[in-house]
Amino acid sequence: MVPLLPETAPFSEDQRSWLNGFFAGLLGADIGAAAATSMAPTTDAPAADVEEDDEDHPWHDAAMPMDERMALAEGRPLKSKMMAAMAQLDCGACGYVCQSYSSAIASGEEKNLTLCQPGGKDTAKKLKELIKTADITVEGKLPATPGDENAVNTGVFDRKNPFPAPLLAATRLNAAGSAKDTRYVSVDIMHSGLSYKAGDALGVYPENCFALVNDILSLLHASGGEIAMYRNQLIRELDIIKPTDELLELMQVNAVDQADKDKITRLLEEEAVEGLPAEPQIIDLLLFFENIKLKVKDFIGTLLPMSPRLYSISSSPKAYPDEVHLTVGVVEYEMAGRKRKGVASTYLGQRVHQHQPVRVFIQPSHGFAPPSDTNKPMIMVGPGTGIAPFRAFLQDRKADGAVGKNWLFFGDQHEATDFLYRDELEQYVADGILSKLTTAFSRDGDEKVYVQHRMLQHAAELWAWLNDGGHFYVCGDAKRMAKDVDNALHQIIAQQGQMSDEDARAYVKQMSANGRYQRDVY
Ligand SMILES: Cc1cc2nc3c(=O)[nH]c(=O)nc-3n(C[C@H](O)[C@H](O)[C@H](O)COP(=O)(O)OP(=O)(O)OC[C@H]3O[C@@H](n4cnc5c(N)ncnc54)[C@H](O)[C@@H]3O)c2cc1C
C-alpha cells in the first residue's frame, strides 16, 4: 500500500498503519460510496427451487452423520437436500436456522455457502456440489452492504437493515493475569424501535482489522487511488479471511509459474500444500504466492460479503430496555507464525470505540427463554461465555418477582481471574434470586474439574429439581461442553431415576419436547 503519512512522521508502526488507513478512508469516502452503488441488491436472483416444500425433515438430527442425512433427503427438492447438508443445530450462526438458510440459498437470495459454522468445510463442500449438480449459479452482484447508506432503509431494523447502535462499553471481565479476554459489551438501542427478550441473540456486523486490510492492499500493490477506492469496502463490507474458489481460480489464471498453478489446483481440490496452513486464509495465499499479480478490482470481485456474528444477549429488557449487553470472548490465536484475530470479537472487544456505531439486529430465539410459568425451577449450565444468556434470565426473573428457584453452574479456568460477573452473582445469592451457585474452575486444582463433574456431584438434588418440573438450560461450547453436559444429564436421570439408558433417553427426549431442555450452543 502507498503510505499517505511521511516515513518521518513520529508514530509507532501500529499508529502509522491506522492513520494511513484512516486518511485513505477519508479520501476514499466519496469514491467508495459511488463504487458501492454497483453493489445494489440484485433482483434477478435465480429461482432455483420452485418445487413445493416438503414438511418433514427426518435428517434434522445433529447426531446423524452427513451420509445418512443426505440419503434421507434423496429425491427431495434441492432446498431439502441443502438443509440435510447443514449441521442441524439451528444455532443461528449463519443468521438463519438450517431450514431457512437452505431455502435462502436455493432461492438465490443468499450467495454465501460458507455460513454454516458447525458444519464447516463439509457442509460448504456439499452445498457447492449440490449447486453444481442442480446447474444453477449463486454468482451475481453482491447485495447492498447492510448498514450502508445505499442499503434500502425500510424503517425497520433487521438483518438486512441493521441499526447503528452506539457502543456504551467494552470492559474486560477477566482480572490481570488471566489467559482469557472476555468482554462485557453494551450498546445503546434507544430510539431504534428494536425490542428483544431474554434468550434472544444480537447479530453484529463487524469491521475488519485495519492492519490486515492494509497488509492485503500492500501485497496487492494497490495504488493510492485503489486504496482510496476500496479500503472502506474491505474494512466494512467484505470477508477478507476465507478465500473463495473464485479467488483461487483468479490466482491460477494469473500465475506465471506452472508449479504455482499446480499448487492452486491442489488447493481447489482441498489438498494440503507444503508451506501453507491446512486451512489457509487470504493473507496466507497472498504471502505464499507473492509472485502472482492480481488487479485489486478483480481480487475484490472474488470476495464474499461480511457475515454477521451472533451473540447471546446478556441483559433483560425488563432491566435495560434501551441497552443490549453481551459477553464476548475475544478470539486470538497464532497460525503459521502469524497472529490471527477473530473478526467480530476483536472488533467488539478491542477496535470499536465508545459512542461509535455498531451495526446490529435482533435474532429472536427459538424457544430459548426462561420458563413461562415463573414458579418453575430453572437449572442453568453456562461455563465461560455460556453465562451470557443466564445473566439475562436472572435479571428477567428478578424483574418478574418470579418465585421459581434458580440454580447456576458456572465454570472457567481460574477462580481468581475468570469468575465472570462474580459480584453480581454473589449479590443474587445474597438476595435469594440465585438459590444455588455451583462453580467449577478447571485449572485451580490438580485435577481438571468441569461443570459436568459438578452436576454429577449434585446428582440427587439435580434430579429433585427436575422432578419438580425444573427447566434445564445449557449455553456455550457445542463441540465438547454441551456433549459432556448432555451425557451427565442422561447419567443422572438413569441413576437417580433408576431407569435403563433407553428410558433415560426417552425422559430427556420428553423434556425437550416439552421445552424443558433448551440449548444455546455454538
Ligand atoms: C447463537 C449463538 C450465540 C453466541 N453467543 C456468543 C456469546 O455470547 N459470546 C461469545 O463470545 N460468542 C458467542 N457466539 C460465537 C460468536 O458468534 C462468534 O462465532 C465468535 O465470537 C467468533 O467470531 P469472530 O468473528 O471473533 O471470529 P471469526 O473471525 O469468525 O474466527 C473464528 C474462526 O477462527 C478459527 N479459530 C479460532 N481459534 C482458532 C485456533 N486456536 N486455531 C485455529 N483456528 C482457530 C476457527 O476457524 C473459527 O471458526 C455465539 C454464536 C452463536 C451461533
PDB file of all heavy atoms in Angstrom, residues 282-312:
ATOM      1  N   ILE A 282      -6.830 -15.785   3.382  1.00  0.00           N
ATOM      2  CA  ILE A 282      -6.474 -14.993   2.197  1.00  0.00           C
ATOM      3  C   ILE A 282      -5.055 -14.431   2.332  1.00  0.00           C
ATOM      4  O   ILE A 282      -4.255 -14.499   1.399  1.00  0.00           O
ATOM      5  CB  ILE A 282      -7.507 -13.861   1.995  1.00  0.00           C
ATOM      6  CG1 ILE A 282      -8.828 -14.477   1.521  1.00  0.00           C
ATOM      7  CG2 ILE A 282      -7.001 -12.823   1.000  1.00  0.00           C
ATOM      8  CD1 ILE A 282      -9.985 -13.511   1.402  1.00  0.00           C
ATOM      9  N   ILE A 283      -4.738 -13.934   3.514  1.00  0.00           N
ATOM     10  CA  ILE A 283      -3.407 -13.342   3.709  1.00  0.00           C
ATOM     11  C   ILE A 283      -2.313 -14.389   3.484  1.00  0.00           C
ATOM     12  O   ILE A 283      -1.258 -14.082   2.916  1.00  0.00           O
ATOM     13  CB  ILE A 283      -3.293 -12.688   5.118  1.00  0.00           C
ATOM     14  CG1 ILE A 283      -1.990 -11.908   5.278  1.00  0.00           C
ATOM     15  CG2 ILE A 283      -3.422 -13.694   6.236  1.00  0.00           C
ATOM     16  CD1 ILE A 283      -1.983 -10.584   4.626  1.00  0.00           C
ATOM     17  N   ASP A 284      -2.572 -15.643   3.888  1.00  0.00           N
ATOM     18  CA  ASP A 284      -1.576 -16.704   3.681  1.00  0.00           C
ATOM     19  C   ASP A 284      -1.335 -16.917   2.190  1.00  0.00           C
ATOM     20  O   ASP A 284      -0.203 -17.109   1.755  1.00  0.00           O
ATOM     21  CB  ASP A 284      -2.053 -18.026   4.302  1.00  0.00           C
ATOM     22  CG  ASP A 284      -2.264 -17.909   5.794  1.00  0.00           C
ATOM     23  OD1 ASP A 284      -1.365 -17.401   6.473  1.00  0.00           O
ATOM     24  OD2 ASP A 284      -3.343 -18.306   6.282  1.00  0.00           O
ATOM     25  N   LEU A 285      -2.423 -16.902   1.417  1.00  0.00           N
ATOM     26  CA  LEU A 285      -2.286 -17.138  -0.027  1.00  0.00           C
ATOM     27  C   LEU A 285      -1.518 -16.000  -0.687  1.00  0.00           C
ATOM     28  O   LEU A 285      -0.644 -16.230  -1.529  1.00  0.00           O
ATOM     29  CB  LEU A 285      -3.670 -17.265  -0.677  1.00  0.00           C
ATOM     30  CG  LEU A 285      -4.508 -18.464  -0.235  1.00  0.00           C
ATOM     31  CD1 LEU A 285      -5.876 -18.428  -0.902  1.00  0.00           C
ATOM     32  CD2 LEU A 285      -3.804 -19.776  -0.574  1.00  0.00           C
ATOM     33  N   LEU A 286      -1.844 -14.769  -0.284  1.00  0.00           N
ATOM     34  CA  LEU A 286      -1.165 -13.629  -0.914  1.00  0.00           C
ATOM     35  C   LEU A 286       0.326 -13.635  -0.580  1.00  0.00           C
ATOM     36  O   LEU A 286       1.166 -13.288  -1.408  1.00  0.00           O
ATOM     37  CB  LEU A 286      -1.812 -12.311  -0.474  1.00  0.00           C
ATOM     38  CG  LEU A 286      -3.268 -12.099  -0.934  1.00  0.00           C
ATOM     39  CD1 LEU A 286      -3.803 -10.766  -0.427  1.00  0.00           C
ATOM     40  CD2 LEU A 286      -3.394 -12.163  -2.458  1.00  0.00           C
ATOM     41  N   LEU A 287       0.647 -14.048   0.645  1.00  0.00           N
ATOM     42  CA  LEU A 287       2.062 -14.097   1.030  1.00  0.00           C
ATOM     43  C   LEU A 287       2.778 -15.249   0.324  1.00  0.00           C
ATOM     44  O   LEU A 287       3.894 -15.097  -0.165  1.00  0.00           O
ATOM     45  CB  LEU A 287       2.174 -14.294   2.552  1.00  0.00           C
ATOM     46  CG  LEU A 287       1.906 -13.059   3.410  1.00  0.00           C
ATOM     47  CD1 LEU A 287       1.660 -13.444   4.863  1.00  0.00           C
ATOM     48  CD2 LEU A 287       3.074 -12.078   3.324  1.00  0.00           C
ATOM     49  N   PHE A 288       2.108 -16.397   0.249  1.00  0.00           N
ATOM     50  CA  PHE A 288       2.730 -17.598  -0.310  1.00  0.00           C
ATOM     51  C   PHE A 288       2.942 -17.464  -1.821  1.00  0.00           C
ATOM     52  O   PHE A 288       3.972 -17.845  -2.354  1.00  0.00           O
ATOM     53  CB  PHE A 288       1.832 -18.800   0.007  1.00  0.00           C
ATOM     54  CG  PHE A 288       2.426 -20.132  -0.340  1.00  0.00           C
ATOM     55  CD1 PHE A 288       3.428 -20.688   0.441  1.00  0.00           C
ATOM     56  CD2 PHE A 288       1.972 -20.846  -1.445  1.00  0.00           C
ATOM     57  CE1 PHE A 288       3.969 -21.927   0.129  1.00  0.00           C
ATOM     58  CE2 PHE A 288       2.510 -22.079  -1.761  1.00  0.00           C
ATOM     59  CZ  PHE A 288       3.510 -22.628  -0.974  1.00  0.00           C
ATOM     60  N   PHE A 289       1.919 -16.918  -2.489  1.00  0.00           N
ATOM     61  CA  PHE A 289       2.015 -16.765  -3.953  1.00  0.00           C
ATOM     62  C   PHE A 289       2.330 -15.308  -4.284  1.00  0.00           C
ATOM     63  O   PHE A 289       1.618 -14.665  -5.049  1.00  0.00           O
ATOM     64  CB  PHE A 289       0.698 -17.182  -4.614  1.00  0.00           C
ATOM     65  CG  PHE A 289       0.357 -18.638  -4.439  1.00  0.00           C
ATOM     66  CD1 PHE A 289      -0.666 -19.042  -3.603  1.00  0.00           C
ATOM     67  CD2 PHE A 289       1.070 -19.617  -5.135  1.00  0.00           C
ATOM     68  CE1 PHE A 289      -0.985 -20.384  -3.447  1.00  0.00           C
ATOM     69  CE2 PHE A 289       0.754 -20.968  -4.981  1.00  0.00           C
ATOM     70  CZ  PHE A 289      -0.270 -21.354  -4.136  1.00  0.00           C
ATOM     71  N   GLU A 290       3.395 -14.795  -3.688  1.00  0.00           N
ATOM     72  CA  GLU A 290       3.640 -13.349  -3.827  1.00  0.00           C
ATOM     73  C   GLU A 290       3.984 -12.949  -5.258  1.00  0.00           C
ATOM     74  O   GLU A 290       3.891 -11.781  -5.622  1.00  0.00           O
ATOM     75  CB  GLU A 290       4.718 -12.885  -2.842  1.00  0.00           C
ATOM     76  CG  GLU A 290       6.045 -13.557  -3.044  1.00  0.00           C
ATOM     77  CD  GLU A 290       7.108 -13.044  -2.081  1.00  0.00           C
ATOM     78  OE1 GLU A 290       6.867 -12.044  -1.412  1.00  0.00           O
ATOM     79  OE2 GLU A 290       8.185 -13.666  -2.027  1.00  0.00           O
ATOM     80  N   ASN A 291       4.366 -13.929  -6.088  1.00  0.00           N
ATOM     81  CA  ASN A 291       4.700 -13.567  -7.479  1.00  0.00           C
ATOM     82  C   ASN A 291       3.470 -13.418  -8.366  1.00  0.00           C
ATOM     83  O   ASN A 291       3.571 -12.950  -9.491  1.00  0.00           O
ATOM     84  CB  ASN A 291       5.606 -14.640  -8.096  1.00  0.00           C
ATOM     85  CG  ASN A 291       6.940 -14.667  -7.396  1.00  0.00           C
ATOM     86  OD1 ASN A 291       7.394 -13.614  -6.928  1.00  0.00           O
ATOM     87  ND2 ASN A 291       7.534 -15.844  -7.275  1.00  0.00           N
ATOM     88  N   ILE A 292       2.343 -13.865  -7.862  1.00  0.00           N
ATOM     89  CA  ILE A 292       1.130 -13.764  -8.698  1.00  0.00           C
ATOM     90  C   ILE A 292       0.548 -12.363  -8.542  1.00  0.00           C
ATOM     91  O   ILE A 292       0.208 -11.940  -7.437  1.00  0.00           O
ATOM     92  CB  ILE A 292       0.091 -14.830  -8.290  1.00  0.00           C
ATOM     93  CG1 ILE A 292       0.698 -16.229  -8.428  1.00  0.00           C
ATOM     94  CG2 ILE A 292      -1.178 -14.692  -9.114  1.00  0.00           C
ATOM     95  CD1 ILE A 292      -0.239 -17.362  -8.032  1.00  0.00           C
ATOM     96  N   LYS A 293       0.452 -11.673  -9.638  1.00  0.00           N
ATOM     97  CA  LYS A 293      -0.046 -10.289  -9.584  1.00  0.00           C
ATOM     98  C   LYS A 293      -1.551 -10.274  -9.876  1.00  0.00           C
ATOM     99  O   LYS A 293      -1.994 -10.809 -10.884  1.00  0.00           O
ATOM    100  CB  LYS A 293       0.670  -9.416 -10.632  1.00  0.00           C
ATOM    101  CG  LYS A 293       2.181  -9.378 -10.465  1.00  0.00           C
ATOM    102  CD  LYS A 293       2.592  -8.344  -9.415  1.00  0.00           C
ATOM    103  CE  LYS A 293       4.077  -8.378  -9.118  1.00  0.00           C
ATOM    104  NZ  LYS A 293       4.518  -9.468  -8.230  1.00  0.00           N
ATOM    105  N   LEU A 294      -2.283  -9.652  -8.973  1.00  0.00           N
ATOM    106  CA  LEU A 294      -3.741  -9.567  -9.152  1.00  0.00           C
ATOM    107  C   LEU A 294      -4.149  -8.111  -9.211  1.00  0.00           C
ATOM    108  O   LEU A 294      -3.583  -7.275  -8.497  1.00  0.00           O
ATOM    109  CB  LEU A 294      -4.463 -10.211  -7.960  1.00  0.00           C
ATOM    110  CG  LEU A 294      -4.175 -11.676  -7.653  1.00  0.00           C
ATOM    111  CD1 LEU A 294      -4.960 -12.102  -6.418  1.00  0.00           C
ATOM    112  CD2 LEU A 294      -4.550 -12.560  -8.836  1.00  0.00           C
ATOM    113  N   LYS A 295      -5.159  -7.825 -10.026  1.00  0.00           N
ATOM    114  CA  LYS A 295      -5.713  -6.466 -10.008  1.00  0.00           C
ATOM    115  C   LYS A 295      -6.609  -6.360  -8.779  1.00  0.00           C
ATOM    116  O   LYS A 295      -7.385  -7.290  -8.493  1.00  0.00           O
ATOM    117  CB  LYS A 295      -6.551  -6.222 -11.262  1.00  0.00           C
ATOM    118  CG  LYS A 295      -5.716  -6.054 -12.505  1.00  0.00           C
ATOM    119  CD  LYS A 295      -6.574  -5.444 -13.620  1.00  0.00           C
ATOM    120  CE  LYS A 295      -5.757  -5.329 -14.881  1.00  0.00           C
ATOM    121  NZ  LYS A 295      -6.378  -6.009 -16.014  1.00  0.00           N
ATOM    122  N   VAL A 296      -6.540  -5.236  -8.101  1.00  0.00           N
ATOM    123  CA  VAL A 296      -7.313  -5.085  -6.862  1.00  0.00           C
ATOM    124  C   VAL A 296      -8.801  -5.289  -7.148  1.00  0.00           C
ATOM    125  O   VAL A 296      -9.509  -5.971  -6.400  1.00  0.00           O
ATOM    126  CB  VAL A 296      -7.064  -3.689  -6.234  1.00  0.00           C
ATOM    127  CG1 VAL A 296      -7.817  -3.559  -4.925  1.00  0.00           C
ATOM    128  CG2 VAL A 296      -5.580  -3.465  -6.015  1.00  0.00           C
ATOM    129  N   LYS A 297      -9.253  -4.727  -8.249  1.00  0.00           N
ATOM    130  CA  LYS A 297     -10.683  -4.816  -8.583  1.00  0.00           C
ATOM    131  C   LYS A 297     -11.096  -6.283  -8.773  1.00  0.00           C
ATOM    132  O   LYS A 297     -12.153  -6.713  -8.292  1.00  0.00           O
ATOM    133  CB  LYS A 297     -10.930  -4.024  -9.872  1.00  0.00           C
ATOM    134  CG  LYS A 297     -12.367  -3.929 -10.301  1.00  0.00           C
ATOM    135  CD  LYS A 297     -12.487  -2.875 -11.402  1.00  0.00           C
ATOM    136  CE  LYS A 297     -13.881  -2.835 -11.976  1.00  0.00           C
ATOM    137  NZ  LYS A 297     -14.103  -3.856 -12.988  1.00  0.00           N
ATOM    138  N   ASP A 298     -10.247  -7.056  -9.469  1.00  0.00           N
ATOM    139  CA  ASP A 298     -10.560  -8.475  -9.695  1.00  0.00           C
ATOM    140  C   ASP A 298     -10.570  -9.234  -8.370  1.00  0.00           C
ATOM    141  O   ASP A 298     -11.428 -10.086  -8.128  1.00  0.00           O
ATOM    142  CB  ASP A 298      -9.521  -9.118 -10.627  1.00  0.00           C
ATOM    143  CG  ASP A 298      -9.577  -8.518 -12.024  1.00  0.00           C
ATOM    144  OD1 ASP A 298     -10.590  -7.853 -12.329  1.00  0.00           O
ATOM    145  OD2 ASP A 298      -8.608  -8.703 -12.788  1.00  0.00           O
ATOM    146  N   PHE A 299      -9.583  -8.911  -7.531  1.00  0.00           N
ATOM    147  CA  PHE A 299      -9.491  -9.561  -6.213  1.00  0.00           C
ATOM    148  C   PHE A 299     -10.775  -9.305  -5.419  1.00  0.00           C
ATOM    149  O   PHE A 299     -11.399 -10.229  -4.897  1.00  0.00           O
ATOM    150  CB  PHE A 299      -8.265  -8.998  -5.479  1.00  0.00           C
ATOM    151  CG  PHE A 299      -8.205  -9.338  -4.015  1.00  0.00           C
ATOM    152  CD1 PHE A 299      -7.742 -10.577  -3.595  1.00  0.00           C
ATOM    153  CD2 PHE A 299      -8.617  -8.418  -3.052  1.00  0.00           C
ATOM    154  CE1 PHE A 299      -7.686 -10.897  -2.239  1.00  0.00           C
ATOM    155  CE2 PHE A 299      -8.566  -8.726  -1.702  1.00  0.00           C
ATOM    156  CZ  PHE A 299      -8.107  -9.969  -1.294  1.00  0.00           C
ATOM    157  N   ILE A 300     -11.187  -8.042  -5.381  1.00  0.00           N
ATOM    158  CA  ILE A 300     -12.393  -7.657  -4.624  1.00  0.00           C
ATOM    159  C   ILE A 300     -13.605  -8.444  -5.140  1.00  0.00           C
ATOM    160  O   ILE A 300     -14.452  -8.876  -4.364  1.00  0.00           O
ATOM    161  CB  ILE A 300     -12.661  -6.133  -4.785  1.00  0.00           C
ATOM    162  CG1 ILE A 300     -11.500  -5.331  -4.225  1.00  0.00           C
ATOM    163  CG2 ILE A 300     -14.020  -5.719  -4.234  1.00  0.00           C
ATOM    164  CD1 ILE A 300     -11.635  -4.788  -2.864  1.00  0.00           C
ATOM    165  N   GLY A 301     -13.644  -8.641  -6.444  1.00  0.00           N
ATOM    166  CA  GLY A 301     -14.786  -9.331  -7.058  1.00  0.00           C
ATOM    167  C   GLY A 301     -14.924 -10.783  -6.620  1.00  0.00           C
ATOM    168  O   GLY A 301     -15.975 -11.387  -6.806  1.00  0.00           O
ATOM    169  N   THR A 302     -13.868 -11.355  -6.039  1.00  0.00           N
ATOM    170  CA  THR A 302     -13.947 -12.765  -5.629  1.00  0.00           C
ATOM    171  C   THR A 302     -14.372 -12.919  -4.165  1.00  0.00           C
ATOM    172  O   THR A 302     -14.562 -14.034  -3.694  1.00  0.00           O
ATOM    173  CB  THR A 302     -12.576 -13.469  -5.767  1.00  0.00           C
ATOM    174  OG1 THR A 302     -11.670 -12.917  -4.805  1.00  0.00           O
ATOM    175  CG2 THR A 302     -12.002 -13.330  -7.159  1.00  0.00           C
ATOM    176  N   LEU A 303     -14.471 -11.803  -3.445  1.00  0.00           N
ATOM    177  CA  LEU A 303     -14.726 -11.900  -2.003  1.00  0.00           C
ATOM    178  C   LEU A 303     -16.218 -11.994  -1.694  1.00  0.00           C
ATOM    179  O   LEU A 303     -17.052 -11.478  -2.440  1.00  0.00           O
ATOM    180  CB  LEU A 303     -14.141 -10.675  -1.277  1.00  0.00           C
ATOM    181  CG  LEU A 303     -12.644 -10.420  -1.488  1.00  0.00           C
ATOM    182  CD1 LEU A 303     -12.200  -9.205  -0.681  1.00  0.00           C
ATOM    183  CD2 LEU A 303     -11.812 -11.642  -1.105  1.00  0.00           C
ATOM    184  N   LEU A 304     -16.509 -12.636  -0.571  1.00  0.00           N
ATOM    185  CA  LEU A 304     -17.902 -12.747  -0.123  1.00  0.00           C
ATOM    186  C   LEU A 304     -18.239 -11.573   0.786  1.00  0.00           C
ATOM    187  O   LEU A 304     -17.347 -10.972   1.385  1.00  0.00           O
ATOM    188  CB  LEU A 304     -18.082 -14.050   0.664  1.00  0.00           C
ATOM    189  CG  LEU A 304     -18.078 -15.317  -0.181  1.00  0.00           C
ATOM    190  CD1 LEU A 304     -17.934 -16.540   0.711  1.00  0.00           C
ATOM    191  CD2 LEU A 304     -19.351 -15.418  -1.017  1.00  0.00           C
ATOM    192  N   PRO A 305     -19.536 -11.273   0.906  1.00  0.00           N
ATOM    193  CA  PRO A 305     -19.898 -10.195   1.835  1.00  0.00           C
ATOM    194  C   PRO A 305     -19.578 -10.577   3.279  1.00  0.00           C
ATOM    195  O   PRO A 305     -19.545 -11.765   3.613  1.00  0.00           O
ATOM    196  CB  PRO A 305     -21.414 -10.055   1.668  1.00  0.00           C
ATOM    197  CG  PRO A 305     -21.829 -10.994   0.614  1.00  0.00           C
ATOM    198  CD  PRO A 305     -20.684 -11.880   0.249  1.00  0.00           C
ATOM    199  N   MET A 306     -19.361  -9.594   4.095  1.00  0.00           N
ATOM    200  CA  MET A 306     -19.117  -9.818   5.526  1.00  0.00           C
ATOM    201  C   MET A 306     -20.335 -10.502   6.151  1.00  0.00           C
ATOM    202  O   MET A 306     -21.466 -10.077   5.931  1.00  0.00           O
ATOM    203  CB  MET A 306     -18.919  -8.453   6.190  1.00  0.00           C
ATOM    204  CG  MET A 306     -18.752  -8.496   7.671  1.00  0.00           C
ATOM    205  SD  MET A 306     -17.132  -9.101   8.115  1.00  0.00           S
ATOM    206  CE  MET A 306     -16.182  -7.585   8.044  1.00  0.00           C
ATOM    207  N   SER A 307     -20.089 -11.549   6.932  1.00  0.00           N
ATOM    208  CA  SER A 307     -21.213 -12.213   7.617  1.00  0.00           C
ATOM    209  C   SER A 307     -21.356 -11.641   9.014  1.00  0.00           C
ATOM    210  O   SER A 307     -20.360 -11.407   9.690  1.00  0.00           O
ATOM    211  CB  SER A 307     -20.940 -13.693   7.811  1.00  0.00           C
ATOM    212  OG  SER A 307     -20.610 -14.276   6.622  1.00  0.00           O
ATOM    213  N   PRO A 308     -22.607 -11.486   9.460  1.00  0.00           N
ATOM    214  CA  PRO A 308     -22.784 -11.053  10.848  1.00  0.00           C
ATOM    215  C   PRO A 308     -22.465 -12.195  11.801  1.00  0.00           C
ATOM    216  O   PRO A 308     -22.555 -13.357  11.429  1.00  0.00           O
ATOM    217  CB  PRO A 308     -24.268 -10.698  10.910  1.00  0.00           C
ATOM    218  CG  PRO A 308     -24.910 -11.527   9.839  1.00  0.00           C
ATOM    219  CD  PRO A 308     -23.874 -11.706   8.760  1.00  0.00           C
ATOM    220  N   ARG A 309     -22.070 -11.874  13.035  1.00  0.00           N
ATOM    221  CA  ARG A 309     -21.878 -12.880  14.091  1.00  0.00           C
ATOM    222  C   ARG A 309     -22.986 -12.685  15.113  1.00  0.00           C
ATOM    223  O   ARG A 309     -23.432 -11.557  15.346  1.00  0.00           O
ATOM    224  CB  ARG A 309     -20.564 -12.678  14.824  1.00  0.00           C
ATOM    225  CG  ARG A 309     -19.215 -12.987  14.180  1.00  0.00           C
ATOM    226  CD  ARG A 309     -19.119 -13.390  12.797  1.00  0.00           C
ATOM    227  NE  ARG A 309     -17.737 -13.627  12.371  1.00  0.00           N
ATOM    228  CZ  ARG A 309     -17.228 -13.223  11.225  1.00  0.00           C
ATOM    229  NH1 ARG A 309     -17.960 -12.543  10.363  1.00  0.00           N
ATOM    230  NH2 ARG A 309     -15.986 -13.507  10.907  1.00  0.00           N
ATOM    231  N   LEU A 310     -23.381 -13.781  15.743  1.00  0.00           N
ATOM    232  CA  LEU A 310     -24.426 -13.700  16.768  1.00  0.00           C
ATOM    233  C   LEU A 310     -23.825 -13.763  18.161  1.00  0.00           C
ATOM    234  O   LEU A 310     -22.851 -14.484  18.378  1.00  0.00           O
ATOM    235  CB  LEU A 310     -25.407 -14.867  16.624  1.00  0.00           C
ATOM    236  CG  LEU A 310     -26.253 -14.923  15.364  1.00  0.00           C
ATOM    237  CD1 LEU A 310     -27.218 -16.097  15.445  1.00  0.00           C
ATOM    238  CD2 LEU A 310     -27.034 -13.635  15.154  1.00  0.00           C
ATOM    239  N   TYR A 311     -24.423 -13.037  19.082  1.00  0.00           N
ATOM    240  CA  TYR A 311     -24.016 -13.085  20.491  1.00  0.00           C
ATOM    241  C   TYR A 311     -25.260 -13.197  21.361  1.00  0.00           C
ATOM    242  O   TYR A 311     -26.215 -12.419  21.184  1.00  0.00           O
ATOM    243  CB  TYR A 311     -23.198 -11.829  20.859  1.00  0.00           C
ATOM    244  CG  TYR A 311     -21.864 -11.850  20.143  1.00  0.00           C
ATOM    245  CD1 TYR A 311     -21.711 -11.235  18.905  1.00  0.00           C
ATOM    246  CD2 TYR A 311     -20.795 -12.565  20.667  1.00  0.00           C
ATOM    247  CE1 TYR A 311     -20.506 -11.323  18.213  1.00  0.00           C
ATOM    248  CE2 TYR A 311     -19.590 -12.658  19.984  1.00  0.00           C
ATOM    249  CZ  TYR A 311     -19.449 -12.037  18.760  1.00  0.00           C
ATOM    250  OH  TYR A 311     -18.263 -12.148  18.076  1.00  0.00           O
ATOM    251  N   SER A 312     -25.260 -14.163  22.286  1.00  0.00           N
ATOM    252  CA  SER A 312     -26.389 -14.317  23.207  1.00  0.00           C
ATOM    253  C   SER A 312     -26.502 -13.043  24.030  1.00  0.00           C
ATOM    254  O   SER A 312     -25.495 -12.578  24.578  1.00  0.00           O
ATOM    255  CB  SER A 312     -26.145 -15.485  24.165  1.00  0.00           C
ATOM    256  OG  SER A 312     -25.730 -16.615  23.460  1.00  0.00           O
TER     257      SER A 312
END
